[in-house]
Amino acid sequence: MKYLLKIFTGIIITSLLFSSCKKAQVELPGSLQEIIKNSKDCQCNPYIQSYIWNGELTYMSSCGGPACSCTQTYFSEDGARIELPANYSFDKFLKESKFVGTVWQCK
């Protein structure tokens, strides 16, 4: 099992090395493709990650630049925006979800 995890991690890292601002490594819903299409500036290092949350594939869009004010936006598998429950923090989301991988990152 650990061997498969290492292979999967290696594939994701390799995919990230060859990705660009305009290309997603997997087929994403239209709303997420629009985020990628509109990412003209990689200054804040925008990215899209996938998680399993409440048994469903969930995408999270955010950024990670040191001087950037980033928030998280969540999307369902079909690209519909998801609002987290009131008083539900990003930390709680991370604890209750399983990280699948980064599907796109602007560099």
Side-chain angles (χ1 to χ4, degrees):
M1 186 68 154
K2 287 184 180 183
Y3 179 73
L4 290 175
L5 183 60
K6 287 181 182 181
I7 290 173
F8 183 71
T9 303
I11 291 170
I12 289 174
I13 290 171
T14 302
S15 296
L16 287 174
L17 291 174
F18 291 105
S19 66
S20 70
C21 274
K22 300 301 175 194
K23 293 183 181 177
Q25 296 299 315
V26 296
E27 186 65 33
L28 295 173
S31 57
L32 296 172
Q33 290 179 16
E34 282 297 311
I35 291 171
I36 294 168
K37 180 181 170 186
N38 294 327
S39 294
K40 296 173 177 58
D41 180 357
C42 293
Q43 181 178 1
C44 288
N45 302 320
Y47 61 86
I48 299 171
Q49 295 178 331
S50 59
Y51 295 84
I52 300 296
W53 179 60
N54 290 338
E56 302 284 332
L57 180 61
T58 304
Y59 295 102
M60 189 268 300
S61 172
S62 191
C63 63
C68 301
S69 177
C70 304
T71 60
Q72 296 78 32
T73 306
Y74 304 90
F75 298 88
S76 66
E77 185 173 5
D78 63 1
R81 191 170 178 167
I82 297 172
E83 294 295 329
L84 296 182
N87 299 321
Y88 195 91
S89 68
F90 178 59
D91 288 335
K92 187 170 183 178
F93 172 83
L94 291 177
K95 287 178 186 174
E96 294 182 356
S97 65
K98 179 178 180 184
F99 178 70
V100 175
T102 300
V103 295
W104 173 79
Q105 185 171 11
C106 188
K107 289 186 178 186

Short mmCIF file of all heavy atoms in Angstrom, two decimals, residues 17 26 28 38 46 82:
data_model
loop_
_atom_site.label_atom_id
_atom_site.label_comp_id
_atom_site.label_asym_id
_atom_site.label_seq_id
_atom_site.Cartn_x
_atom_site.Cartn_y
_atom_site.Cartn_z
N LEU A 17 5.44 19.35 -12.15
CA LEU A 17 6.64 19.91 -12.76
C LEU A 17 6.43 20.28 -14.22
O LEU A 17 7.05 21.19 -14.74
CB LEU A 17 7.81 18.91 -12.64
CG LEU A 17 8.34 18.69 -11.23
CD1 LEU A 17 9.39 17.57 -11.24
CD2 LEU A 17 8.93 19.95 -10.66
N VAL A 26 -5.98 17.16 -15.45
CA VAL A 26 -7.15 16.29 -15.51
C VAL A 26 -8.30 17.11 -16.09
O VAL A 26 -8.26 18.33 -16.12
CB VAL A 26 -7.54 15.76 -14.11
CG1 VAL A 26 -6.45 14.87 -13.55
CG2 VAL A 26 -7.84 16.87 -13.15
N LEU A 28 -11.39 18.98 -15.86
CA LEU A 28 -12.07 19.67 -14.76
C LEU A 28 -13.40 20.23 -15.23
O LEU A 28 -13.57 20.53 -16.41
CB LEU A 28 -11.19 20.81 -14.24
CG LEU A 28 -9.87 20.41 -13.59
CD1 LEU A 28 -9.04 21.65 -13.30
CD2 LEU A 28 -10.11 19.63 -12.32
N ASN A 38 -8.73 32.28 -16.60
CA ASN A 38 -8.64 33.67 -16.15
C ASN A 38 -7.41 33.95 -15.29
O ASN A 38 -7.23 35.05 -14.80
CB ASN A 38 -9.90 34.07 -15.40
CG ASN A 38 -11.11 34.09 -16.32
OD1 ASN A 38 -11.00 34.41 -17.50
ND2 ASN A 38 -12.26 33.72 -15.79
N PRO A 46 -1.91 30.73 -7.76
CA PRO A 46 -3.21 30.08 -7.60
C PRO A 46 -3.10 28.58 -7.88
O PRO A 46 -2.25 28.14 -8.66
CB PRO A 46 -4.10 30.78 -8.62
CG PRO A 46 -3.17 31.35 -9.62
CD PRO A 46 -1.90 31.67 -8.90
N ILE A 82 -19.65 25.23 -3.51
CA ILE A 82 -20.12 24.70 -2.23
C ILE A 82 -19.83 25.72 -1.14
O ILE A 82 -18.72 26.24 -1.05
CB ILE A 82 -19.37 23.39 -1.87
CG1 ILE A 82 -19.64 22.31 -2.89
CG2 ILE A 82 -19.75 22.92 -0.47
CD1 ILE A 82 -18.79 21.07 -2.69
#
